Amino acid sequence: MADQVVLLDFWPSPFGMRLRIALAEKGVQYEYKDEDLSNKSPLLLQSNPVHKQIPVLIHNGKAVSESLIAVQYIDEVWKDKAPLLPSDPHLRAHARFWADYVDKKMYEIGKKVWTTKGEEQDAAKKEFLECISVLEGELGDKPYFGGKTFGFVDVALIPFYTWFSVYEKFGNFSVEAEHPKFIAWAKRCLEKESVSKSIPDQQKVYDLVLEMSKKLGTE
């Protein structure tokens, strides 16, 4: 029986983008369901009753939630093509450490950049660029975080690049001016069809956030 794969997602979510990229890397066909987060579907609430959040991967009727856990699940189930995690246990643990670092830093700091003003925003910008600096240091001279091939940390991190226009325009700064090596890595990832076809255009995300910020009164 063919695998039945459904992805419950919301198109600008960097966490959902991770699953889209991982599934594309593996060549897995799936049904995409875009959720209205102000009116969540019964399927989402049933599939992720604890957090009630996207993304949720449903594979043959069984749900897997939390994006990094779902990406690892995808890597384990469809293991014959494009491995995302290395086979060596230490290298695998190393990759998980950096994906966890991305999880703990990028979203919250980035959100502060576009939802705050004045000194609070200045502090958020400084913290964001420090985070990029740390990641750039880990990347070093490698083409990808895991080495020569696109892997787990790249999948975890590249979706946030779609939000860089938001951070830069609201914060009035340029990541590329200070961290060109990081942006070169992002552009290298975008050369992969699995990435470029799985993530939205930066301008589209910016337009949505601009509309949201007007409603919130944070523009």
Side-chain angles (χ1 to χ4, degrees):
M1 188 180 81
D3 283 313
Q4 289 185 315
V5 183
V6 178
L7 178 59
L8 308 183
D9 199 356
F10 178 46
W11 69 266
S13 167
F15 303 103
M17 290 175 213
R18 290 170 168 175
L19 276 66
R20 286 174 243 163
I21 293 167
L23 290 165
E25 276 287 293
K26 299 290 185 176
V28 177
Q29 298 294 314
Y30 63 97
E31 181 184 354
Y32 181 86
K33 291 180 182 281
D34 205 56
E35 286 282 332
D36 175 358
L37 299 186
S38 63
N39 183 25
K40 295 173 183 176
S41 72
L43 182 58
L44 174 59
L45 299 176
Q46 175 192 333
S47 303
N48 189 3
V50 176
H51 297 303
K52 302 176 176 62
Q53 294 175 334
I54 54 93
V56 177
L57 179 77
I58 305 173
H59 179 213
N60 293 336
K62 294 179 180 177
V64 181
S65 49
E66 296 297 294
S67 63
L68 290 182
I69 292 170
V71 169
Q72 290 176 75
Y73 177 86
I74 290 165
D75 199 37
E76 289 169 9
V77 171
W78 293 280
K79 57 182 181 290
D80 295 335
K81 183 181 178 186
L84 299 173
L85 278 159
S87 57
D88 178 82
H90 182 262
L91 292 177
R92 201 156 58 237
H94 188 78
R96 286 176 174 140
F97 171 87
W98 284 105
D100 183 64
Y101 178 87
V102 171
D103 249 17
K104 288 184 168 122
K105 295 281 187 179
M106 291 295 288
Y107 180 75
E108 290 302 328
I109 301 170
K111 188 177 179 182
K112 285 180 190 170
V113 171
W114 72 268
T115 57
T116 61
K117 292 183 183 297
E119 289 182 6
E120 197 177 351
Q121 187 186 54
D122 289 341
K125 283 194 290 185
K126 185 172 181 286
E127 192 179 1
F128 182 81
L129 288 169
E130 283 171 357
C131 177
I132 297 295
S133 180
V134 169
L135 288 164
E136 197 174 59
E138 167 58 20
L139 178 66
D141 294 321
K142 305 187 296 289
Y144 300 104
F145 278 89
K148 292 181 180 178
T149 56
F150 183 78
F152 188 61
V153 182
D154 307 293
V155 172
L157 181 56
I158 191 59
F160 289 95
Y161 183 63
T162 62
W163 282 73
F164 273 32
S165 279
V166 173
Y167 307 149
E168 291 176 325
K169 288 177 182 177
F170 276 81
N172 193 29
F173 68 103
S174 165
V175 176
E176 188 163 25
E178 302 205 30
H179 299 291
K181 190 183 286 187
F182 184 90
I183 299 301
W185 161 82
K187 290 178 178 175
R188 192 175 303 121
C189 290
L190 280 168
E191 290 171 6
K192 294 183 67 65
E193 192 174 293
S194 60
V195 177
S196 62
K197 289 194 172 181
S198 300
I199 64 175
D201 181 71
Q202 285 190 359
Q203 186 63 41
K204 189 179 176 186
V205 176
Y206 174 75
D207 290 344
L208 175 78
V209 173
L210 186 62
E211 187 181 324
M212 284 165 55
S213 68
K214 284 176 180 175
K215 290 177 183 174
L216 294 169
T218 57
E219 60 166 335

